[in-house]
Amino acid sequence: MYDDLVNKILTEALKVGEKLPSEAELDKIYNVSRTPVKQALNQLENDGYIYRLQGKGSFVANRRPAEIWTRMTGFRSNYLDKWEKISSKTIEISQRKGCFTHLFNIDDNEKITYLKRVRYFDDKPILYLEHYVNPFIPNDIFENNHSFISLGQLLKEKLNIEMVRAEEEIEPINATTTIANILHIPEGTPLLKVTRISYDQKNLPIDVNPYIVNTKEWKYKINFRQEDVHEDF
């Protein structure tokens, strides 16, 4: 229920300012009891997707960004809460061979686009990112857009390619000299490395994205709900 309502808000099936169905109506629409309805509405309000007016109901809030990619990361609360102060810069664009050939189903000699980027919050570097991009994505998109915040957002706007699924693997690391210089932190600082693979609507891998985060500034957070759990613990 929560995910369905979020998707309707993000895709503007429910528009900014529009009133949501009442709790009783949501009971019938989703065939659930009142308790999960209340829980979903509370979570939507906490995440900033809706606001409530006493005696009037729940309404879709004017939140940015309105892209699904912000939900597919453990740092989504940072994007939702701090969006206006986030910026990015591409510091390298090049072509590489022999990278993720099996994943992209390409020949070893075929070149793919490789990017190095830095993401900032309030002009302070927070994330260092690399991208290995499926070769069917034209390179000039990146040459002409050095300050895009999200590759997923860029591909949606320019090519109507939407990232709908992602896998992430996380591991702790210490800052190397290079990373320390980029993020303006002492060498050896504990950091979080996330390796993310994003897939489009056709389940094609589009982007392999290792990125390194200063978690002193940004915390990795995941919310679990009962409907997400399929095993007994």
Side-chain angles (χ1 to χ4, degrees):
M1 174 182 168
Y2 171 89
D3 285 337
D4 184 59
L5 288 171
V6 168
N7 283 329
K8 286 179 178 177
I9 292 170
L10 294 178
T11 59
E12 297 187 347
L14 289 170
K15 300 185 182 301
V16 171
E18 184 174 344
K19 184 179 179 180
L20 269 66
S22 68
E23 290 186 11
E25 290 170 330
L26 290 171
D27 288 350
K28 295 178 181 179
I29 292 171
Y30 292 99
N31 193 28
V32 295
S33 66
R34 189 64 57 90
T35 297
V37 169
K38 289 181 180 294
Q39 291 173 341
L41 291 175
N42 287 337
Q43 190 65 50
L44 288 167
E45 185 177 27
N46 290 338
D47 290 344
Y49 291 110
I50 66 171
Y51 62 93
R52 287 160 157 176
L53 297 177
Q54 188 172 2
K56 295 185 178 180
S58 301
F59 300 82
V60 178
N62 184 15
R63 292 301 303 265
R64 294 179 64 196
E67 287 83 26
I68 292 175
W69 68 267
T70 58
R71 296 177 52 226
M72 297 193 300
T73 170
F75 298 101
R76 74 173 186 172
S77 61
N78 294 282
Y79 293 115
L80 291 172
D81 296 339
K82 304 173 182 178
W83 179 254
E84 300 296 339
K85 294 185 177 182
I86 296 173
S87 60
S88 293
K89 180 173 67 175
T90 300
I91 58 177
E92 180 184 331
I93 303 174
S94 59
Q95 298 289 305
R96 294 195 173 187
K97 294 190 297 184
C99 299
F100 303 103
T101 54
H102 179 72
L103 178 68
F104 291 139
N105 194 27
I106 58 175
D107 186 85
D108 288 343
N109 292 318
E110 189 168 355
K111 293 182 178 180
I112 66 172
T113 299
Y114 170 74
L115 309 175
K116 286 184 180 179
R117 301 171 56 236
V118 182
R119 189 168 292 155
Y120 302 84
F121 170 63
D122 208 10
D123 297 325
K124 182 177 182 179
I126 301 296
L127 287 85
Y128 166 73
L129 309 96
E130 297 179 346
H131 295 270
Y132 300 82
V133 185
N134 194 307
F136 84 83
I137 303 296
N139 185 61
D140 59 0
I141 286 180
F142 309 112
E143 296 287 355
N144 297 328
N145 296 276
H146 281 243
S147 59
F148 67 91
I149 294 179
S150 161
L151 185 142
Q153 181 183 13
L154 180 68
L155 296 182
K156 174 65 175 177
E157 292 175 353
K158 302 297 183 180
L159 299 176
N160 199 32
I161 294 174
E162 187 168 22
M163 307 295 200
V164 299
R165 183 171 71 86
E167 302 169 356
E168 286 191 344
E169 181 178 281
I170 61 176
E171 59 181 307
I173 65 169
N174 294 322
T176 63
T177 301
T178 299
I179 299 301
N181 289 336
I182 291 173
L183 296 182
H184 301 172
I185 55 177
E187 185 175 349
T189 297
L191 302 170
L192 183 68
K193 179 180 179 181
V194 183
T195 301
R196 176 185 181 90
I197 304 176
S198 300
Y199 298 81
D200 70 2
Q201 306 100 311
K202 299 177 181 179
N203 205 36
L204 292 175
I206 301 298
D207 174 38
V208 179
N209 172 212
Y211 62 95
I212 296 170
V213 189
N214 181 356
T215 50
K216 183 178 180 181
E217 302 292 337
W218 278 25
K219 303 300 183 184
Y220 191 94
K221 180 181 178 182
I222 297 178
N223 293 318
F224 292 99
R225 294 178 300 281
Q226 185 175 0
E227 59 265 31
D228 296 327
V229 180
H230 302 289
E231 298 180 6
D232 294 326
F233 290 95

